[in-house]
Amino acid sequence: MGQRRTFRVSILVASLIIAGCSAGNDPTSAKPAEPAQAASAPAAPATSDPVFFDDFNYADMAAFNANGWKARTETGHPGIKGAAWSAEGLSFHSDIPDTAAGAVRMSSVTDGTGEKTRQTQFCHARKYREGTYAARVFFRDEPNSGPDGDEVIQTFYAISPLKAPMDKNYSETDFEYLPNGGWGENAKPAMWTTSWDTFQLEPWTKVNEFTRHEGSYAGWHTLVLTVADKQLKYYVDGKLFSEHSSAVYPEDFMSINFNLWFMPKGADGSLGPVDSPELREYREDIDWVFFHEGAALATADVEARVADMRGKKVAYIDNVKEQNPKLPSPCGL
């Protein structure tokens, strides 16, 4: 979610030519691909381990929701004041190159005003804490249409609800890519990782650890976070990106989330949207997401397990137990 937003929590990450900073071309043409006509039926479970995996092979929103995903519709932070959050920005595509079964796409639009800004977020159940989180994500440096330059945030993260200002049980772990800079750190592209202990919006107060690596991360990247032994380790394409300490170790169960939103002007020195009334659209694609409870896996191990499940035609599996009673999972800040 964000690193130092006066509206929501999130991320940061320091400057290096590391972690697979390679530019990539858009995997699709300017026109959106047509939605998949049919999702593969899940095969018999490939493992009895406490694993969650989704290959994002869906025909429609109903099938997506049936597997525990929901789109955010709650207004509010983060992002441009007055912006809508809507499932309209979610679509499913079977023909995206370099994917086995297609991907889910987030598409967010803005003209710089709240009235014409639509941001996108989707969330899974709040039952994840210690273990390995991973996703394969396609980031972009430029909008699909319209003028470039908006401070846009492309993410993969896990989060628990903030029950009260400076809630000591609050937990959040973030990967965020900012292709046009933000948070007062110049306009150069950078990846951020942030681990949160707690925060409050008014007055803005935060307790977190973050890292920022400057450089383009356009294209496909495998993002892995291990939460184990009172330490958080973030990896990009198998290379260690950052390590955060026990001071920001997750204390509560979190939901797995992705979102795509626009930074408002003035948030920690941010420049916000470009000065143009023209509508622009940004996109982020997710090939798959994975979680293994209670184990810190290397990126190669994650990729091998994903390949094994795909080889067995497993499009979706969820062996991670809910808490008892089941925890509420709001899809919002």
Side-chain angles (χ1 to χ4, degrees):
M1 304 200 62
Q3 185 268 338
R4 0 180 203 163
R5 337 168 187 167
T6 60
F7 42 78
R8 134 195 187 188
V9 203
S10 213
I11 189 168
L12 307 114
V13 197
S15 161
L16 280 173
I17 307 174
I18 154 187
C21 286
S22 58
N25 295 322
D26 194 312
T28 59
S29 61
K31 275 189 172 180
E34 291 299 317
Q37 293 304 306
S40 299
T47 176
S48 59
D49 292 344
V51 163
F52 168 65
F53 168 71
D54 198 331
D55 210 9
F56 291 122
N57 181 14
Y58 291 104
D60 51 41
M61 188 64 68
F64 183 69
N65 294 152
N67 279 343
W69 295 103
K70 56 185 175 182
R72 177 176 176 174
T73 56
E74 172 191 308
T75 58
H77 300 304
I80 294 173
K81 186 176 181 180
W85 293 88
S86 170
E88 186 180 345
L90 288 174
S91 57
F92 310 103
H93 304 265
S94 61
D95 57 354
I96 292 179
D98 201 22
T99 65
V104 58
R105 169 168 294 161
M106 293 189 294
S107 168
S108 295
V109 297
T110 189
D111 70 348
T113 69
E115 293 77 14
K116 292 187 178 179
T117 297
R118 187 201 70 232
Q119 303 177 140
T120 310
Q121 175 175 333
F122 64 96
C123 322
H124 204 260
R126 185 161 68 94
K127 58 180 182 177
Y128 307 100
R129 185 171 170 257
E130 292 183 303
T132 300
Y133 300 76
R136 185 168 183 259
V137 180
F138 193 95
F139 296 119
R140 293 170 172 82
D141 281 345
E142 300 173 348
N144 182 61
S145 60
D148 196 4
D150 294 298
E151 291 184 340
V152 63
I153 297 88
Q154 305 171 33
T155 79
F156 165 46
Y157 65 102
I159 189 170
S160 70
L162 183 73
K163 301 178 181 70
M166 303 304 290
D167 173 16
K168 291 306 295 180
N169 289 325
Y170 178 76
S171 303
E172 184 181 353
T173 59
D174 308 325
F175 284 95
E176 291 181 314
Y177 181 50
L178 281 64
N180 293 318
W183 295 313
E185 294 289 343
N186 71 42
K188 295 181 180 179
M191 182 81 81
W192 303 71
T193 58
T194 309
S195 303
W196 291 83
D197 181 46
T198 191
F199 80 106
Q200 67 181 19
L201 290 173
E202 297 294 341
W204 175 241
T205 308
K206 64 182 176 68
V207 181
N208 64 18
E209 294 179 16
F210 62 86
T211 312
R212 175 180 180 269
H213 291 174
E214 194 170 287
S216 174
Y217 283 79
W220 285 112
H221 294 284
T222 300
L223 312 176
V224 173
L225 163 66
T226 61
V227 179
D229 300 323
K230 297 300 180 181
Q231 189 174 47
L232 299 97
K233 294 184 178 182
Y234 294 83
Y235 300 83
V236 177
D237 299 329
K239 296 180 181 179
L240 182 63
F241 189 89
S242 60
E243 296 182 61
H244 296 163
S245 75
S246 60
V248 290
Y249 198 77
E251 297 166 307
D252 200 359
F253 289 91
M254 302 178 287
S255 59
I256 290 175
N257 291 249
F258 298 86
N259 68 8
L260 179 61
W261 57 280
F262 300 97
M263 195 174 294
K265 184 175 181 178
D268 272 4
S270 297
L271 299 177
V274 295
D275 186 16
S276 171
E278 186 178 348
L279 200 67
R280 47 268 188 195
E281 178 201 26
Y282 286 83
R283 294 174 175 177
E284 175 184 346
D285 297 342
I286 304 96
D287 184 14
W288 51 260
V289 65
F290 172 93
F291 174 82
H292 192 300
E293 187 175 63
L297 304 179
T299 300
D301 292 330
V302 170
E303 292 175 333
R305 292 183 184 221
V306 169
D308 178 66
M309 287 184 284
R310 283 177 156 175
K312 295 174 180 176
K313 305 300 182 184
V314 176
Y316 177 88
I317 187 171
D318 187 359
N319 290 332
V320 180
K321 292 182 179 179
E322 298 275 5
Q323 294 301 294
N324 187 14
K326 182 177 179 180
L327 298 174
S329 302
C331 195
L333 174 63

